[in-house]
């Protein structure tokens, strides 16, 4: 494994830890505050934070782990929706037409990883739209669009997605992972950027 490969592993691990640190830290703080005198508000905070950690962990496991079997789009959609809902108070809307179509494990990993990238590009929340073209060969026919106030993918992330530069840190690690998965399938990611919107497609 070359240096960029080991860097990506380190960045992905750092990203995983970063995504779980917030909700798990809130759980720990809530438990300390709860003490021996149960408080409904604190108990609610603990439950919400724990649910957020579980949702993030499920997506990270599905996106970064082994491909797994063919699943319906609805199953993958549920994982993505829970992940986005865990971003409270940021408002996210996931649009995924025809989610009943089957999606193979590799394409599901790519879709979930690009949803992570899209979420990072929406600092104030927004809409993420997933389109999977039925019957498309290989990993083609997948597009992840995003739109929202202040939406910005960033030049660095765009270059990483297009395979023009190696990973640069935990924040861009999902883009590097998506690019690697697509390259292994002999494909490529194209990126389109507009004002407060963008799209990534295979």
């Amino acid at each position: 494994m070359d240096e960029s490969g080991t860097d990506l592993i380190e960045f992905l691990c750092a990203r995983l830890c970063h995504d779980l640190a917030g909700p798990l830290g809130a759980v720990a703080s809530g438990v300390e505050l709860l003490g021996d005198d149960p408080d409904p508000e604190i108990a609610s905070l603990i439950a919400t934070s724990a649910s957020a950690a579980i949702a993030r962990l499920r997506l990270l496991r599905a996106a970064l782990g082994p491909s797994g079997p063919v699943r319906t789009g609805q199953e993958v959609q549920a994982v993505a929706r829970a992940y986005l809902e865990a971003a409270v108070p940021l408002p996210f809307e996931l649009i995924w037409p025809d989610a009943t179509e089957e999606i193979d494990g590799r394409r599901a990993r790519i879709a979930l990883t690009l949803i992570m990238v899209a979420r990072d590009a929406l600092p104030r929340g927004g809409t993420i739209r997933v389109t999977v073209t039925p019957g498309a060969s290989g990993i083609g026919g997948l597009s992840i669009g995003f739109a929202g106030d202040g939406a910005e993918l960033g030049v660095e992330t765009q270059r990483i997605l297009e395979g023009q530069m190696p990973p640069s840190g935990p924040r861009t690690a999902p883009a590097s992972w998506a690019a690697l998965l697509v390259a292994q399938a002999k494909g490529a990611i194209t990126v389109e950027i507009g004002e407060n919107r963008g799209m990534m497609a295979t």
Side-chain angles (χ1 to χ4, degrees):
M1 181 180 292
D2 61 20
E3 185 175 350
S4 64
T6 56
D7 285 346
L8 178 55
I9 292 172
E10 292 170 354
F11 293 149
L12 287 172
C13 289
R15 174 59 186 257
L16 189 153
C17 293
H18 174 271
D19 277 13
L20 295 181
L24 291 178
V27 170
S29 298
V31 170
E32 289 181 5
L33 291 172
L34 200 58
D36 298 323
D37 185 18
D39 182 298
E41 290 188 10
I42 296 177
S44 177
L45 169 65
I46 294 173
T48 300
S49 299
S51 295
I54 291 170
R56 293 183 183 187
L57 187 57
R58 282 177 176 165
L59 181 133
L60 290 166
R61 181 176 61 185
L64 307 182
S67 292
V70 172
R71 293 181 286 181
T72 66
Q74 288 177 327
E75 292 177 285
V76 183
Q77 180 192 61
V79 173
R81 191 179 301 281
Y83 173 78
L84 294 173
E85 289 175 350
V88 174
L90 290 178
F92 286 99
E93 179 185 11
L94 178 64
I95 301 173
W96 191 324
D98 302 321
T100 55
E101 295 287 339
E102 289 189 339
I103 181 170
D104 66 79
R106 180 162 51 185
R107 190 180 291 187
R109 294 168 81 195
I110 295 169
L112 290 172
T113 304
L114 290 178
I115 287 171
M116 291 176 64
V117 175
R119 179 184 178 277
D120 288 345
L122 295 168
R124 300 180 185 88
T127 301
I128 297 175
R129 185 180 186 90
V130 179
T131 302
V132 181
T133 303
S137 61
I139 47 86
L142 173 66
S143 69
I144 310 292
F146 58 90
D149 185 26
E152 184 179 7
L153 190 62
V155 175
E156 185 176 15
T157 299
Q158 180 176 347
R159 292 184 63 195
I160 290 173
L161 286 169
E162 294 175 337
Q164 298 178 20
M165 65 180 293
S168 59
R171 182 174 175 79
T172 59
S176 295
W177 181 242
L180 177 61
L181 291 176
V182 172
Q184 287 177 341
K186 310 301 181 184
I189 298 175
T190 58
V191 180
E192 296 179 12
I193 300 297
E195 184 176 357
N196 291 324
R197 64 178 179 82
M199 186 180 72
M200 301 165 286
T202 61

